Amino acid sequence: MEEVFLILFIISGLIIVWVRPIRNTMIAWKEYKRKWLIYWMSLGILTFLERNLYPNLARSFGYYFIRTIGLFYISEPVLLNDIKKGFEKIKSGGRDNKGLSTSIDKISEAKSIKELEILLETNIPISLGEAGIHPWATNPTTMSSLTAMRIGMIASENKFTEEDYKEIIKSKILDILLDGVKTIDPAQIDNCLLALSFLSEKNKKIRKHLLRKYAFDDLRKCIYDAKTIRASTAARICRNIYFKNFAAQREFIAKGYIEALMRLIKKCESDPTGTLEILQGMMDLILLNEDKMNTQSIHLLRNMGLINILQEIDAKHGSRNEVKIALSMLRTILTSV
């Protein structure tokens, strides 16, 4: 019986340490590159030490058990975090068993940046029904995505103070939101995009911090997303970051994202509001300040055929005054420089 138990434990250990991590690395390498690099480097170093420094200890059952649990903790932090929260709920007498209303109350009553950060890290599932809360974003499915929506709402209503923004930069909030846009969960992607859009729109320090965190890389998947409104929102965040910032404009161009803007403006051709927003984004990519322009952006946009696209837009939406003004300014710049 003991031999059977030992064999089962070794097999389960192999699944935990090797099979699941290999599978998860292949599925989510782009989204969690840093996490899996840490895992495989840790496993490689540990294997080297076991073979060269303490081979006898490495064969003991106790060591094998601790090793397996430790590697499981590195590879499955989200799962373990949820298990831990479950035990905490049981220990506290089930105070959270009121369900959805309690979750919403916690998020709506959160007053400090620290509280929002903790809630943003909480992946407890929730269900808000089928009725849409936001005009286009997927309904939140976890406390994390609902908190992201809440952060976006607070920012959009100008309820964050300058001190709040300083705390947000010091916290893990921006990291969690940037990780959120790289997941495969539509609710997490949409609501993290909304939060980042409003935060970057409202505060200059947030924009600079996002640039330092290589936010353009994190937004790559979204800016090329098949869902036009999701791609437009990612483009808006990029626009907020590179607005009157030559270093950010240069990085945006180096990433090849002008091509993404060109694709996006073609996808938005039936939507005058979406078209106007992309035109304004292109204008912000050109302007450094009131009297200085980014000639690199101008040449790239011209060489990629923007003048012809502007003519097509003029034919469709030129009757709208704000679109007409944006078209006129862009056309003048592209043909004069």
Side-chain angles (χ1 to χ4, degrees):
M1 188 66 183
E2 289 181 1
E3 290 179 355
V4 173
F5 176 77
L6 184 60
I7 291 170
L8 288 173
F9 183 78
I10 291 172
I11 292 172
S12 63
L14 287 172
I15 293 171
I16 291 170
V17 174
W18 290 100
V19 178
R20 277 180 61 82
I22 289 173
R23 175 182 174 275
N24 291 338
T25 301
M26 293 174 68
I27 293 173
W29 172 252
K30 289 183 179 179
E31 291 83 356
Y32 299 102
K33 185 184 295 184
R34 183 173 178 273
K35 167 187 159 181
W36 291 117
L37 278 173
I38 292 172
Y39 178 81
W40 292 113
M41 286 177 65
S42 300
L43 182 58
I45 292 169
L46 192 60
T47 304
F48 175 81
L49 294 174
E50 287 170 351
R51 291 181 178 178
N52 294 277
L53 294 183
Y54 46 89
N56 294 329
L57 176 63
R59 296 190 189 98
S60 67
F61 178 81
Y63 173 83
Y64 190 79
F65 178 80
I66 294 171
R67 174 185 186 271
T68 302
I69 295 300
L71 290 168
F72 178 71
Y73 181 81
I74 297 174
S75 65
E76 304 285 351
V78 174
L79 178 60
L80 283 175
N81 192 40
D82 290 344
I83 292 170
K84 181 182 176 184
K85 286 184 174 67
F87 279 119
E88 287 174 353
K89 287 166 67 175
I90 294 169
K91 188 177 178 181
S92 63
R95 285 194 296 270
D96 287 340
N97 289 338
K98 294 178 182 178
L100 178 61
S101 60
T102 304
S103 300
I104 294 176
D105 288 343
K106 281 184 176 180
I107 294 168
S108 61
E109 292 171 5
K111 296 180 180 179
S112 71
I113 301 302
K114 187 62 182 176
E115 286 178 296
L116 288 171
E117 179 185 358
I118 292 169
L119 290 166
L120 195 59
E121 290 183 294
T122 305
N123 289 295
I124 296 174
I126 60 172
S127 176
L128 300 177
E130 295 182 1
I133 296 175
H134 187 269
W136 66 265
T138 308
N139 272 5
T141 55
T142 64
M143 286 184 69
S144 177
S145 52
L146 184 59
T147 304
M149 176 179 277
R150 174 67 178 157
I151 290 171
M153 189 184 302
I154 296 171
S156 70
E157 295 172 352
N158 296 312
K159 291 183 178 179
F160 281 134
T161 65
E162 192 61 35
E163 194 60 37
D164 288 332
Y165 281 115
K166 288 179 182 178
E167 286 190 48
I168 288 171
I169 289 171
K170 291 177 183 177
S171 72
K172 294 186 287 184
I173 286 177
L174 294 179
D175 289 317
I176 298 168
L177 293 174
L178 288 171
D179 284 340
V181 303
K182 296 184 291 183
T183 66
I184 58 174
D185 176 10
Q188 195 74 11
I189 294 170
D190 290 350
N191 290 289
C192 286
L193 280 174
L194 283 174
L196 287 167
S197 176
F198 287 117
L199 288 171
S200 60
E201 177 187 330
K202 300 295 182 180
N203 190 266
K204 186 176 181 179
K205 290 179 181 177
I206 292 286
R207 296 194 286 272
K208 288 185 176 180
H209 200 66
L210 287 173
L211 181 62
R212 287 196 292 268
K213 284 187 171 294
Y214 305 102
F216 289 150
D217 290 334
D218 293 326
L219 291 165
R220 175 173 289 277
K221 186 179 76 170
C222 292
I223 204 169
Y224 284 103
D225 199 283
K227 190 175 179 180
T228 304
I229 188 65
R230 190 178 287 162
S232 297
T233 306
R236 188 185 310 129
I237 298 167
C238 291
R239 174 190 172 192
N240 292 339
I241 295 171
Y242 66 61
F243 178 67
K244 292 187 179 180
N245 185 325
F246 180 67
Q249 290 175 357
R250 187 170 54 191
E251 184 175 332
F252 184 85
I253 292 168
K255 301 290 181 187
Y257 287 162
I258 282 186
E259 180 189 354
L261 290 183
M262 298 293 286
R263 289 175 55 181
L264 196 52
I265 202 167
K266 290 178 182 177
K267 289 174 71 175
C268 292
E269 60 185 5
S270 61
D271 174 19
T273 304
T275 299
L276 177 61
E277 187 168 340
I278 302 302
L279 289 174
Q280 291 170 339
M282 289 178 172
M283 187 68 71
D284 287 340
L285 193 60
I286 290 171
L287 298 175
L288 291 173
N289 51 49
E290 285 72 15
D291 58 355
K292 191 174 181 181
M293 291 181 288
N294 187 332
T295 54
Q296 184 185 8
S297 299
I298 295 171
H299 291 310
L300 278 170
L301 289 168
R302 188 165 55 199
N303 292 341
M304 293 181 79
L306 182 58
I307 293 175
N308 293 332
I309 293 174
L310 293 181
Q311 291 174 349
E312 295 173 12
I313 295 170
D314 195 10
K316 290 183 178 181
H317 308 301
S319 58
R320 291 190 55 162
N321 191 48
E322 60 272 31
V323 175
K324 188 175 183 179
I325 292 170
L327 286 170
S328 176
M329 290 178 66
L330 263 175
R331 194 182 291 115
T332 301
I333 292 170
L334 291 171
T335 55
S336 63
V337 176

